[in-house]
Amino acid sequence: MNLEPEKMIGMYQTMLRIRRFEERVMDMYARQLIPGLAHLYIGEEAVATGVCANLKTDDYITSTHRGHGHCIAKGGELKIMMAELFGKTTGYCHGKGGSMHIANINLGILGANGIVAAGMPIAGGAALAIKMRKGNQVVVSFFGDGAANQGTFHESLNMAAVWKLPVVFVCENNQYAISVAARRVGSIHDYYLRKAAYGIEGCKVDGNDILSVYEATREAVQRAREGKGPTLIECKTYRWRGHYEGEADRTYTYRSKEEIEEWMKKCPIDRFKKFLLEKKVTKEANLQKIDEQIQAEIEEAIEFAKNSPDPEPEDALKDVYCES
Ligand SMILES: Cc1ncc(C[n+]2csc(CCOP(=O)(O)OP(=O)(O)O)c2C)c(N)n1
Ligand SMILES: [Mg+2]
């Protein structure tokens, strides 16, 4: 696979934007500046980035409760996202959605979703609409290993297969659904094998290797655009933080410190950085500069969010329901 240097540097930048964003969210959540829940994506950045690097602005994604990375990779502006997390009127959902419900039609983000696996049928519906309009877009549905055991997984894959819909189903197998290990609740451990049940294409990739994720998605997106139907891609990865921020105390009850440390050594960002430097795609100083720019952008986003107004009590029901 031959990728332009600019494309690869852009992908590195996106992964780092997600990482730095999440690190600051972690900090501000601990300081109680962010209400509600925050499920961080640290450790899984290569999945959202490698997948979305194949998408155009008018392609769609459906996201999950762990959705900040998906939104950033699909083009979400950090300051508007941060404002949403702070519950401010300047956020993507005017402060009514928060971390788990960021949506923006103009960017093709059909919504993060607090209901596990609920994005999958939405993706199918969007893909059906594209097909009926004879459009050329694709839809990516991100979901977890826990979601793969929900009924909607089966229904969505079956219908998408029967109707040959332009969907790419991306299973982010981080091996846990809250505290439940996938190996304890799945009769098979490679969920992509379920492709056989629906008669569709599918594969397994190292979700911490952005180039593998990119390549698998490139093929799947092409297939979808050519009218050849859906693909199931399973990305093996790992979340570094607890299921949600605040869970830290419980962490070592369902997975060991050693296991977490082992996966932290497989950091997707360090790995790609090493690749870029070894292949002389760029220099360390350039990557450092990118990091500094991102950190400045995030500080600006925080200031923006802090200085933005709260919604007024009388507007509590505004923006919550769809207006015809
Ligand atoms: C339908 C439904 N059932 C249960 C929950 C509670 N819940 C929230 S996140 C989660 C685990 C999801 O695991 P997974 O799909 O693997 O995603 P991950 O958190 O690992 O990214 C559960 C059970 C929910 N939000 N919705
Ligand atoms: Mg999981």
Side-chain angles (χ1 to χ4, degrees):
M1 180 181 44
N2 248 345
L3 278 180
E4 295 289 317
E6 293 75 39
K7 178 83 178 171
M8 287 196 277
I9 294 168
M11 282 156 71
Y12 178 82
Q13 189 173 21
T14 301
M15 280 207 285
L16 200 58
R17 284 176 99 220
I18 298 171
R19 173 70 57 92
R20 297 287 179 245
F21 183 87
E22 296 289 63
E23 286 170 347
R24 291 295 276 131
V25 169
M26 183 196 326
D27 171 44
M28 283 178 300
Y29 193 81
R31 290 198 274 139
Q32 297 185 344
L33 288 167
I34 294 179
L37 278 180
H39 304 79
L40 300 188
Y41 197 63
I42 295 178
E44 306 185 28
E45 296 90 345
V47 180
T49 309
V51 168
C52 291
N54 287 283
L55 302 183
K56 301 178 186 159
T57 306
D58 67 350
D59 290 324
Y60 296 108
I61 62 165
T62 62
S63 174
T64 67
H65 55 286
R66 199 176 300 289
H68 307 161
H70 309 142
C71 295
I72 293 174
K74 191 66 179 58
E77 264 190 69
L78 298 192
K79 65 178 192 174
I80 310 181
M81 283 183 60
M82 196 64 90
E84 188 58 42
L85 264 59
F86 273 69
K88 301 299 184 83
T89 53
T90 50
Y92 273 117
C93 309
H94 308 293
K96 310 285 175 54
S99 165
M100 277 190 278
H101 301 98
I102 292 179
N104 185 265
I105 299 298
N106 296 333
L107 292 171
I109 301 171
L110 297 180
N113 207 313
I115 300 172
V116 171
M120 302 186 75
I122 295 173
L128 179 60
I130 292 168
K131 187 164 179 167
M132 290 172 79
R133 289 181 184 142
K134 304 195 190 315
N136 181 247
Q137 301 124 291
V138 299
V139 190
V140 166
S141 174
F142 291 103
F143 61 98
D145 47 287
N149 288 325
Q150 281 278 26
T152 42
F153 168 94
H154 166 73
E155 295 162 40
S156 305
L157 268 76
N158 190 52
M159 290 318 300
V162 169
W163 287 334
K164 285 206 176 320
L165 299 181
V167 197
V168 182
F169 293 102
V170 177
C171 179
E172 305 184 301
N173 186 352
N174 62 11
Q175 304 166 51
Y176 291 90
I178 310 186
S179 56
V180 177
R183 63 181 176 274
R184 286 175 48 211
V185 291
S187 54
I188 52 170
H189 303 311
D190 286 332
Y191 289 116
Y192 83 99
L193 292 172
R194 292 182 182 174
K195 68 182 181 164
Y198 308 103
I200 62 171
E201 296 293 326
C203 63
K204 160 173 83 164
V205 296
D206 178 343
N208 284 22
D209 175 12
I210 188 160
L211 296 176
S212 299
V213 175
Y214 179 85
E215 181 59 16
T217 313
R218 196 181 61 79
E219 285 171 21
V221 164
Q222 192 180 340
R223 202 175 294 127
R225 288 203 207 282
E226 287 170 358
K228 295 180 179 160
T231 303
L232 172 60
I233 302 176
E234 179 181 7
C235 302
K236 304 279 191 189
T237 186
Y238 200 81
R239 67 167 154 75
W240 292 12
R241 301 289 298 167
H243 172 69
Y244 61 94
E245 284 310 283
E247 188 221 51
D249 294 351
R250 293 201 300 135
T251 294
Y252 303 132
T253 60
Y254 64 87
R255 52 185 200 165
S256 68
K257 192 163 178 277
E258 291 71 31
E259 181 183 292
I260 299 170
E261 284 171 358
E262 216 34 60
W263 274 92
M264 286 173 80
K265 286 187 203 146
K266 301 181 198 165
C267 173
I269 300 177
D270 285 351
R271 182 166 169 178
F272 195 43
K273 181 177 177 177
K274 204 163 160 242
F275 173 88
L276 294 176
L277 296 178
E278 273 175 15
K279 297 279 176 202
K280 300 201 185 325
V281 176
T282 187
K283 297 203 168 79
E284 175 108 46
N286 287 342
L287 299 183
Q288 182 60 34
K289 208 161 123 201
I290 287 174
D291 198 358
E292 284 159 18
Q293 282 165 349
I294 290 171
Q295 295 198 39
E297 185 190 1
I298 291 173
E299 293 317 307
E300 263 176 48
I302 294 170
E303 278 313 299
F304 174 79
K306 278 185 180 163
N307 296 327
S308 292
D310 288 318
E312 296 296 334
E314 55 269 29
D315 290 336
L317 297 181
K318 221 171 129 188
D319 311 312
V320 177
Y321 297 100
C322 194
E323 285 166 25
S324 57

